[in-house]
Structure formats: structure tokens, C-alpha cells
Amino acid sequence: MSRALRFAPLIVLLLFVAAVVWRLAVPVDQKVPSRLIGKPLPAFALVAGVPGKPGLKSTDLALGQPRIVNLFASWCVPCAGEAPQLQALKQAGVPIDAIAIRDRSVDIQAFLTRYGDPFDRIGSDPESRVQLALGSAGVPESFVVDGRGVIRYQHIGPIEPDDVPRLIQEMERAQ
Amino acid sequence: MRLTVLVLALLAATPVMADSDLPAARWANEQLPDPAQEAEASKLMAELRCLVCQGQAISDSNAEMAGDMRALVRTRIASGQSQEQVRTYLIERYGDWISYNPPVEPKTWPLWLAPLVMLAAGALLLRKRLVRRRSP
Amino acid sequence: MIAEAGLAALWLAAALTALQLALSLGIAGPVGREVRTIRGVSIAQAVMTLTAFGLLILLFLRSDMSVLLVAENSHSQKPWLYKFAGTWGNHEGSMLLWVSVLSVSGAALALLERRLSDQTLSASIGAQAALGLGFFAFLLFASNPFERLDSAPVDGRGLNPLLQDPGLAFHPPTLYLGYVGLSVAFSLAVAGLLRRDVGPDIARAMRPWVLGAWVLLTIGITAGSYWAYYELGWGGWWFWDPVENASLMPWLAATALLHSVNVLAARGGLRAWTMMLALVAFSMSMVGTFLVRSGILTSVHAFAVDPERGAFILALLAIYIGAALTLFALRVAHVKEGAPFEIVSREGGLVANNLLLSVILGVVFVGTLYPLIAEALTGDKLSVGPPYFNAVATPMALTMAALMMIAPQLRWRRDSAAILPRLLPGLLVALAALVISLWLAPQIGLIERSALAIGLGLVPASLLPLIGRSLRRTPLATWGMVIAHLGVALSIIGAASNSAFTVEVLHAAKPGEQVQVGPWLIEFRGVRPAVGPNYTAIEGELRATRGNGVSVLHPQSRYFTSPPTTTNEAGIETFWNGQLYLVLGEEGEGGKWQLRLWWKPFVTLIWLGGAFIALGGLLALLGRWWKGRSNRTDKTPKRRKGYR
């Protein structure tokens, strides 16, 4: 057996240990980010989620001003948790639209009454189609879309108070 | 973290909370009428990874989102798209991660070449032995 | 007091292990009485470890909620069997089980092994003690199972309901026994390399351990596969999930080792290779335990990640495997080559078996870790799953099965064309299967068709070694081989048939509705509430008819409260030619219930085959043991006749 070959198993072990040490140092990030960041929104048109408020079309998001699109659901507990932060964004002058995932009109209405309604438009996505088209992997998630309808930033998970400045900054960058 | 002791959360056991009240999407649990198309869709569904229950294929998952992804696959296959078109649609959105079938491209060459290299190395090692042994 | 006594026993056992190691290191020169002392110490430390483990079981049975581990993993309302099994259904308990098996294996080696020289034996016991010491340190410093709580909670947090299943209660310990049983082969290989004593004697000492561990691994994997099949409720039996792969890798290595160790024992060949496999097999056990316990791979079995503990086990693993592989690299040049052989010989067949098994092992290893490596190097996540493993491993497994038709009938050293007629029965059956399947089932895929043909051809082929000899005088080991190979054939047929012929029907049905599933007409009669020991359920009633046969199946949707979870309990009925597998889903609109119905022809052969494989191993083990006993009493060296 040649000398190099004798040490081959040790080299495999070394590679294994190196890979695993890297993983222990950089823990698994379970988030699956969308690949559409920097790309135009896919075309969609969603019916209104609640009466008295317009639904959401992809063309609504290409009107010259950057907007946030928030994916939420009345049955999603963290979505209630991020409601104050959405209000804060709204107060800071950030226009926000929403897509309600797998939801009913009455439930959305009740949710908004209880936790506040910062949304200009709410589209209803009962079979998660637009969610999947956007490359979103769950609720809540928020996308920053610039004035030309290009996705600029994706926030995965609930918006914590610390995340608000970041989102405002991303909105400014999307100008 | 003393308390993070082994939460063996096998994902077939979905937590009771955090599900919507809406019924599953039309094609989530309903087969396509054309058996050939259904077979296509089934094969693809077994190769796509569930987004919320990351260790399972969407064909084996009780998660609602997996149901919506099955509906997406079936609808698109029924509309005449090929398996690869549907797969590409999802990879464009979620990256290679979404497919259990790794694409053949430079970063996966080692993966796909590994079996051939190992077989060749083994055969070479063996051949040397046998040749040497035949001529005592 | 029990917890404190347990901890004390654990410390004592660790100390005895240190003593064991010190004693075996001390024996360098002439052999004195020390071997007997080492034996005593080994047994004492095994007894101490078992005491600690027994006390932990007692704590679980008594639901002593003042112990952290019990409070976090048990519940006083649980059936006693699951309190018992809950002992190892968690990290600390399972590591204590691991250490107990390691200790008992060391003691058994010390007690039973009489063939090896005293030096080699004490070196191997020393190696075993060195392994044990590291894991004792891990238990005592990083995962103490006996930790107390300052104030006991009223009740515990419960055990995952999916784990509350009699099959699963004994699945992990079986696998662990197998994993850790391989440690003896590892220690023997280390001793052989250290003592420059690599030869048939080491192989014979190793063989029963490898066989025993392999039998347990086979049982564990087969049971685990069946458990996943009926508990997860989607009809799949192998998912190539990282945790499954982690259990498969030691099995593949042990299977290769099992075959090569025979070449070494009988013919003195494949010395270096066999030692390598012995090191790899237990290394894979450690790698598997690490991967599962550290939770670093995303898997259906989602464990909480604890980097600190992960790092501890990783350090142990790196030290042990690294040291063993270094020893191998340094000593392999001194390992003598065995007797020569030609490619068409039994050795040739076994070498081919080893090559294919090793490459499959390599593929599983690379495929399981590749996402990690790719992410580390490129930052991109990717998934390697069933399509890759099936595409790569299946052809190799089928090639191996095809070789199995002939290899067991080859003679040692060299064989000739005279063997060809013996190929005929298998080949004819395979060919017939091919033609018939083309005629009756033209739609099935190439892989399924070849698998069916090879599997069916292997049935007569695997029985051939029995033909032409007196069945009563056929050695048990030969019977074992025949039955194990037959098991492989059955498993292949079952898997191929399941993949090719399964009928799946998804249907939302109102009570009274009828659905056709393959040959079965299934009537959904309705649902009713049901109650179990610690869950409530909705139970469906489904009436299946085929010809005159009627069966009533009751799939359930179960709701557990501690912790809150729902599970599906499939209604399964087994017939001679397949299984009905019915799952009750959710209630939809209009009083309709979502049903998932499968007819799976011959699917049970997969696990029946697994049972045959394990049984074959068991017979071989008994045969060797019997032979070993009669050899010991009968001093004439009959067995020497075989090799020269």
C-alpha cells in the first residue's frame, strides 16, 4: 500500500471534523431566503381580504414609491406579536400592504380590530399561491418593494422592535 | 441551555396550534384525473422539500404549506408543464435547497463523481493485487 | 437517595475503568497474573455501570420529579412501559445506555475470550477501557443524568407521543447494542495492530462480536423502518433521512466486515483491509451517534442543538478515530499479505462484495455530509435526498445481489468454468421473471423490473449451497448464510414490488361512500370518538372487500395533550400478497373526511427479509459458538485443514 493511501482515511476524518466544526461554529440557519431579491415581482392579482379595502395586485407595487408587503395570517401567533412594530412603521410614514395567507375575511377583520390595521391594501391568498410565487417560506414575512416593482429586501419572521430601523433604512435605500 | 434537552419533534406530529382553519387546497390531497400526469406529479412531490418541516418531502408531510405546494405541483403539471419546469419554478424562488435531487453543476460535481471515483479507486487497488498475485 | 447512589455508582465505574486501562497499559513484558486482575476489574466496572443504569430506570419508574431528567421527559400518567422506555428516550439516558453497553461488552470480552494471547487480550481490554473513559467523562462532566432540581414540579413534561409505541421503546436500545457491540471489533483491531498480531486468531475473536452486533443492527434498522412506515402515516419505509443514514452506515461497514473477517479467519487473507473495516465500523457508530445527538443535520428527527455537547462528543470521536487511523497508517506496512487467490474464487466474490458495500457506504457518507460541505464552501444550501441515493446506491446494491447468485458457491482460492451450471437456476428464474413482467406489467420502470428479476432469481440461487449435501450435517453457519441471503432476496422483491405495484388513492369521502383501491372495494362507514390511555382519538371505520374476503379497519387520528400533538395511526391489515394501509385525514367541507388509501402488494417482504437476514446472522453466531465449544473440548485441530 502506498504511503499516501495509508493516510487517506485520516484525511477523510480531518475533512469530516473540519466540516462539522464549521457547523458547530455557524449553527444551522433554518431560514430559507427568497431568491427573488433584486428581481421584479412576479405578476399577481389578489382579491380583497376584507370588505371596504382594495385587494392587492403586483402593479399596485410599482407606482413610483417603495412599499412594504407584509405576509400575515390571523391564525399566526407571531403575526400578532409584530403588529405594534408595523404600526410604528406606518407612523414613520412607511406605506404597507398585506397579503393574508390561508385566511377568512371575518377572521382577518377580527385580527385587525384587535391588533390594529396599518395596511393600505390587503390581498387574500387562500392557497398560498402568491406566497410561493414570492419565494416566501412562512408567515410572518415582509418584503420591501421599490417603486418599479423590484423586490429589494426580505425580512423573515416577526419584526422585532430592533428590526424597525433596519426596515426604514431599507425603505430609504429602495427610493 | 439546560432546558433544550432533546425536543424530539418528529414532524408528522404537527403541533395543534398554528394552523389555519381553511380546508386544504383543491389539489393538495386530490389526485389528477389523468394517471400519467398524477404519476409525474407524485414523482416530483417526493423530490421537493417541505419548507416548514424541513426534513420531509412535501409528499410525506401533514403541514398545510406542504399541501399548498402539492396543489401547486399538481396544478402546474395538469396545465401541461413538465416536471423540470415546475422544479425550476421553485428553484428560482427558493434555491437548490428545495429539491432533494441535486442539480448537476460545478458545485455538485464532487457529489456526483464520488461513487465513480470510489469504484475506480477500489477496482484499481484490487487489480494491482490480483496481477501481483497471479505471478508468484 | 437513589439519584445520589446512581451518580456514585457512575463515578465508581469511571474509576474502575481508569484502573482497567492502567492495568492493561502496565502489561508490557511477561504475562503474569494481571490478566486475571484485569478480568475482575472489567467485570466490577460493568456491574457498577449497570447499577447506575438500573437506578436511573428506577427513578423513571417511580416518576421521581425531583430529578431534572425525569421531570423533563416523563409524566406520572404514562403507562409503565413508556416510563421504562423513557429512560433512554432522551439525551442523558441514552448516553448512559451507550456507556453501559460499552462496559458490558468490555467485561464480556474479558470473560469469554480465550483464544487470544494474554498480551493481545489485555491490549484489547485496555482499548475498550480507553473508549469507556472518554464517554464516562462526557456523562459526568457534560450530561449528568442524575441532576436534581431545587424544587420538584407537580408533574413532568411528558414524552413525545410518537415515541409511545412498544416497537419504538426497544428500537433505540437494539441499535445501541449493535453500535456499541462493534466497539469490541474496534478494540481487537487496535490491539492486533499494536501487538503486530494481525492474523486469523484476531479474526476469529472478532467474528462473534461482529455477527452479534450486526444482527442487532439489522433488527434495529428493520424495526425502525417498519415503525416509520406505520407511524408516520404516508406509507414510506425508507426516507434517506440523515438519521436513518447514520444508522445505515455502521450496518454497511459491519456487513462488509462480516464477510471479510471470514476470509481472514479461514484463509488468512485481507488482513489490512479487515482491520481497516473493523476500525471504520465502530467509527461509523460514533459518527452516527454524534450526528444524531448533536442535531447538526436537518432531519425529520429534529433534536435540539447543543453545540457544547456536540463539541465534546466530536472531540472524543476525533481522538479515538484519529488515534486508531494513525496507528493503522503506521502499522499497516508490517501487516503480512494473506494467501493468494484468483478473481474467480470465493475470496474474489467476497472482495467484490466488500468493494460494493464500501462504495455504497462511501456514497451514503458523502451524500449525507455534502450539504454541509457545500454550504461551508459556497454558502449555498442544497439538499441531497432520495433521488440521489436511489440513483447511485440502487444499481450497486442490485449488482451485489446479482453477484450473490453465484459467489457463495465458489470455492476458496480458485474456481473454474465447472461452476457455470450452478448459475442456471437463478438465471432461469430471473429471465422468466423478466419476460413475465414485460408481458403482464409493461408499465413498470427499468430499475423495478431488474430488481424484481434479480430478487426472484436470488431466491433459488441462495438456496443452492444446500443442494447436494445432507441437510442435517450442513453446518449452522452455512444455514445462516443461506437464510440471510434469502432474506436479501425477499427484501429486494418487497421493495421492488412496493415501488412498482402500489396503488394509491386519495379521496374525500362521506360516510357510506365506496372507493376502489386496486383489487379492493373500500367502504367508508363513518367515524366515532375513541379514548386511549393518554390520548383521545377519532376513529374511522372502513370496510374492505375483495371477492369474499371482508376486513374492517380502524385508522385513528390521535390527540395527545402532554405535549399537545396529533398523530395518525394508520389502519393496516396484512394479507399473504400485500398490505392495506388506510389513513384517516382531516374533516373537510360537507362532512367529508380526507382518506389516504394504499394497496401495497408484497410490501411486508421488505421487513420479513430483514428478519430473515437477522435470523441468518443469529444461526451463524450460534454455529460459530457451538463449533468454538466443541473445538475447545476436542483438541484435534480439525479446522486447520482448511487453509495452508
Side-chain angles (χ1 to χ4, degrees):
Chain A
M1 208 185 278
S2 76
R3 188 162 286 253
L5 209 61
R6 273 178 232 162
F7 289 93
L10 263 175
I11 292 166
V12 174
L13 174 71
L14 222 68
L15 282 175
F16 170 78
V17 172
V20 161
V21 164
W22 172 80
R23 171 85 307 161
L24 288 173
V26 184
V28 194
D29 183 4
Q30 299 276 16
K31 288 175 186 161
V32 187
S34 171
R35 289 295 164 118
L36 294 186
I37 294 160
K39 296 196 176 135
L41 275 176
F44 63 86
L46 291 174
V47 297
V50 285
K53 204 168 258 234
L56 189 65
K57 297 192 293 291
S58 46
T59 48
D60 298 333
L61 297 162
L63 298 176
Q65 282 303 307
R67 306 182 71 85
I68 283 184
V69 181
N70 178 246
L71 276 66
F72 81 107
S74 66
W75 45 266
C76 137
V77 181
C79 297
E82 70 170 1
Q85 283 68 257
L86 286 173
Q87 287 292 358
L89 282 167
K90 171 86 180 167
Q91 256 135 48
V94 176
I96 309 173
D97 295 319
I99 298 176
I101 308 296
R102 298 192 67 84
D103 228 330
R104 287 198 178 89
S105 183
V106 277
D107 298 333
I108 302 174
Q109 194 66 64
F111 182 87
L112 296 177
T113 315
R114 186 151 172 212
Y115 297 106
D117 178 5
F119 306 128
D120 297 333
R121 302 185 189 83
I122 300 178
S124 169
D125 190 12
E127 295 186 357
S128 318
R129 280 203 202 154
V130 173
Q131 182 178 31
L132 291 168
L134 288 171
S136 149
V139 276
E141 275 187 23
S142 305
F143 289 88
V144 172
V145 183
D146 72 10
R148 284 166 296 132
V150 175
I151 301 174
R152 301 296 288 270
Y153 180 71
Q154 180 193 24
H155 181 90
I156 298 173
I159 301 169
E160 307 285 342
D162 297 350
D163 300 326
V164 174
R166 177 79 204 262
L167 276 163
I168 290 176
Q169 196 190 339
E170 290 292 337
M171 285 295 289
E172 279 160 7
R173 280 179 51 194
Q175 280 289 349
Chain B
M1 287 288 283
R2 216 68 203 80
L3 288 177
T4 54
V5 183
L6 193 145
V7 186
L8 216 172
L10 280 145
L11 285 145
T14 39
V16 178
M17 355 160 252
D19 262 356
S20 77
D21 290 338
L22 287 199
R26 166 92 205 271
W27 294 107
N29 298 312
E30 193 176 332
Q31 289 160 309
L32 294 171
D34 177 352
Q37 285 188 334
E38 175 64 21
E40 285 260 298
S42 292
K43 188 165 176 293
L44 182 58
M45 289 185 296
E47 297 186 359
L48 292 175
R49 195 160 181 171
C50 171
L51 286 161
V52 284
C53 41
Q54 308 201 337
Q56 285 174 315
I58 58 169
S59 61
D60 295 341
S61 170
N62 291 329
E64 282 190 330
M65 197 163 188
D68 288 341
M69 287 173 76
R70 290 198 296 273
L72 178 134
V73 168
R74 286 204 175 98
T75 320
R76 283 177 178 261
I77 295 279
S79 75
Q81 289 194 355
S82 71
Q83 275 186 35
E84 282 327 295
Q85 281 171 310
V86 183
R87 195 198 305 271
T88 308
Y89 175 87
L90 286 166
I91 288 180
E92 278 169 2
R93 279 152 181 78
Y94 296 100
D96 291 333
W97 183 89
I98 197 82
S99 169
Y100 269 125
N101 198 358
V104 182
E105 53 186 42
K107 77 173 175 196
T108 58
W109 282 349
L111 177 71
W112 288 104
L113 286 178
L116 294 178
V117 171
M118 287 189 280
L119 268 179
L124 209 71
L125 211 77
L126 206 65
R127 205 181 64 98
K128 262 190 188 163
R129 283 284 144 91
L130 287 169
V131 170
R132 203 186 321 159
R133 275 169 181 170
R134 237 178 240 157
S135 50
Chain C
M1 267 316 284
I2 299 179
E4 285 67 30
L7 191 58
L10 210 53
W11 274 104
L12 211 56
L16 285 167
T17 310
L19 179 63
Q20 195 184 354
L21 180 60
L23 280 173
S24 62
L25 285 179
I27 296 187
V31 185
R33 293 224 174 89
E34 288 91 333
V35 169
R36 211 182 285 167
T37 320
I38 291 181
R39 282 205 175 107
V41 173
S42 306
I43 292 160
Q45 70 105 357
V47 169
M48 272 302 129
T49 321
L50 279 180
T51 308
F53 188 56
L55 290 173
L56 189 65
I57 293 177
L58 194 62
L59 287 171
F60 268 85
L61 286 178
R62 295 172 67 158
S63 297
D64 186 340
M65 294 304 164
S66 69
V67 175
L68 176 70
L69 193 65
V70 181
E72 280 186 348
N73 295 287
S74 198
H75 194 277
S76 61
Q77 295 304 307
K78 235 166 30 170
W80 77 267
L81 178 68
Y82 303 125
K83 286 183 186 171
F84 179 62
T87 315
W88 52 77
N90 57 74
H91 171 84
E92 286 84 349
S94 68
M95 288 317 295
L96 180 53
L97 173 63
W98 168 282
V99 171
S100 307
V101 183
L102 204 58
S103 297
V104 172
S105 304
L109 178 69
L111 198 63
L112 300 175
E113 184 49 53
R114 306 280 165 169
R115 276 164 290 203
L116 292 176
S117 70
D118 284 355
Q119 286 95 335
T120 307
L121 178 62
S122 70
S124 59
I125 295 172
Q128 191 79 6
L131 288 175
L133 216 50
F135 286 97
F136 272 117
F138 177 66
L139 266 182
L140 290 168
F141 299 126
S143 16
N144 174 11
F146 295 105
E147 193 166 322
R148 289 270 192 195
L149 284 168
D150 294 336
S151 59
V154 181
D155 212 330
R157 295 213 291 192
L159 173 75
N160 186 315
L162 274 185
L163 301 182
Q164 301 192 17
D165 176 276
L168 201 67
F170 296 98
H171 167 60
T174 313
L175 272 180
Y176 268 29
L177 283 168
Y179 272 175
V180 188
L182 289 173
S183 67
V184 179
F186 180 92
S187 297
L188 284 168
V190 167
L193 288 166
L194 268 178
R195 302 273 325 146
R196 299 170 203 264
D197 179 18
V198 176
D201 281 339
I202 283 275
R204 289 197 199 104
M206 210 181 260
R207 185 157 54 190
W209 290 96
V210 179
L211 262 171
W214 179 81
V215 167
L216 291 163
L217 282 177
T218 308
I219 295 173
I221 293 173
T222 308
S225 157
Y226 191 67
W227 171 77
Y229 167 80
Y230 80 75
E231 193 76 349
L232 294 181
W234 291 93
W237 60 277
W238 192 262
F239 301 90
W240 293 107
D241 176 87
V243 169
E244 290 178 342
N245 292 352
S247 73
L248 185 64
M249 288 191 280
W251 184 85
L252 287 167
T255 312
L257 176 58
L258 186 68
H259 289 86
S260 80
V261 89
N262 275 322
V263 180
L264 179 50
R267 300 277 311 148
L270 300 183
R271 292 173 188 224
W273 176 245
T274 304
M275 292 306 112
M276 186 72 225
L277 276 178
L279 299 182
V280 165
F282 183 62
S283 298
M284 284 300 157
S285 299
M286 285 195 277
V287 165
T289 306
F290 167 74
L291 290 179
V292 176
R293 285 290 146 209
S294 68
I296 62 163
L297 297 174
T298 315
S299 143
V300 203
H301 310 61
F303 292 84
V305 185
D306 190 337
E308 213 174 291
R309 280 183 185 161
F312 204 127
I313 307 189
L314 181 64
L316 287 181
L317 171 160
I319 292 168
Y320 291 141
I321 305 179
L325 292 180
T326 310
L327 178 68
F328 179 83
L330 297 177
R331 286 290 160 84
V332 69
H334 305 288
V335 175
K336 269 182 271 161
E337 283 304 330
F341 60 86
E342 289 184 8
I343 184 98
V344 183
S345 65
R346 182 171 297 191
E347 289 99 320
L350 289 167
V351 163
N353 150 301
N354 265 242
L355 173 64
L356 286 165
L357 277 170
S358 307
V359 175
I360 295 175
L361 168 63
V363 164
V364 177
F365 185 75
V366 170
T368 307
L369 291 165
Y370 201 78
L372 190 61
I373 295 164
E375 198 189 333
L377 294 181
T378 68
D380 283 348
K381 289 183 184 179
L382 63 91
S383 304
V384 179
Y388 172 80
F389 292 112
N390 287 336
V392 177
T394 313
M396 284 193 274
L398 288 180
T399 310
M400 222 162 67
L403 284 173
M404 276 167 66
M405 289 193 198
I406 180 70
Q409 300 171 60
L410 293 171
R411 278 179 305 191
W412 292 112
R413 275 184 71 192
R414 82 160 74 97
D415 215 317
S416 59
I419 192 73
L420 287 176
R422 305 213 80 178
L423 258 174
L424 271 181
L427 225 52
L428 283 179
V429 173
L431 227 81
L434 212 59
V435 172
I436 294 174
S437 80
L438 275 169
W439 177 40
L440 288 180
Q443 79 283 3
I444 64 177
L446 174 69
I447 286 284
E448 280 96 342
R449 198 187 307 284
S450 352
L452 273 177
I454 292 174
L456 286 165
L458 187 53
V459 172
S462 60
L463 293 173
L464 275 187
L466 293 178
I467 305 295
R469 60 199 301 176
S470 151
L471 288 189
R472 233 198 273 156
R473 287 169 68 187
T474 303
L476 262 185
T478 307
W479 275 104
M481 176 191 76
V482 165
I483 288 175
H485 286 182
L486 187 62
V488 173
L490 294 181
S491 287
I492 291 176
I493 298 169
S497 164
N498 177 49
S499 166
F501 303 121
T502 290
V503 184
E504 178 189 48
V505 174
L506 308 173
H507 192 76
K510 277 186 186 160
E513 228 177 296
Q514 289 187 331
V515 195
Q516 189 76 37
V517 181
W520 293 90
L521 187 65
I522 292 175
E523 186 191 350
F524 177 50
R525 315 264 296 204
V527 296
R528 61 163 184 253
V531 184
N534 52 351
Y535 60 85
T536 58
I538 294 179
E539 185 176 275
E541 187 178 322
L542 292 122
R543 214 176 119 95
T545 42
R546 174 176 68 171
N548 293 325
V550 178
S551 306
V552 181
L553 285 82
H554 296 106
Q556 289 185 340
S557 244
R558 291 184 180 170
Y559 305 89
F560 291 82
T561 47
S562 58
T565 1
T566 61
T567 66
N568 280 317
E569 192 74 6
I572 297 180
E573 182 106 6
T574 309
F575 303 90
W576 69 271
N577 61 347
Q579 251 181 358
L580 263 179
Y581 186 111
L582 314 181
V583 177
L584 178 71
E586 285 169 17
E587 186 178 11
E589 285 165 336
K592 285 185 171 180
W593 289 81
Q594 183 63 46
L595 302 177
R596 300 200 294 267
L597 315 168
W598 283 274
W599 167 242
K600 295 173 158 289
F602 297 106
V603 67
T604 22
L605 288 184
I606 296 172
W607 308 286
L608 186 68
F612 267 61
I613 297 174
L615 176 68
L618 197 64
L619 286 180
L621 184 62
L622 285 177
R624 298 284 174 212
W625 179 70
W626 191 251
K627 214 167 165 183
R629 275 183 61 114
S630 51
N631 271 11
R632 217 174 291 153
T633 47
D634 169 17
K635 293 285 178 198
T636 51
K638 265 188 211 154
R639 307 183 59 196
R640 303 262 154 184
K641 234 194 289 173
Y643 63 99
R644 200 163 313 282

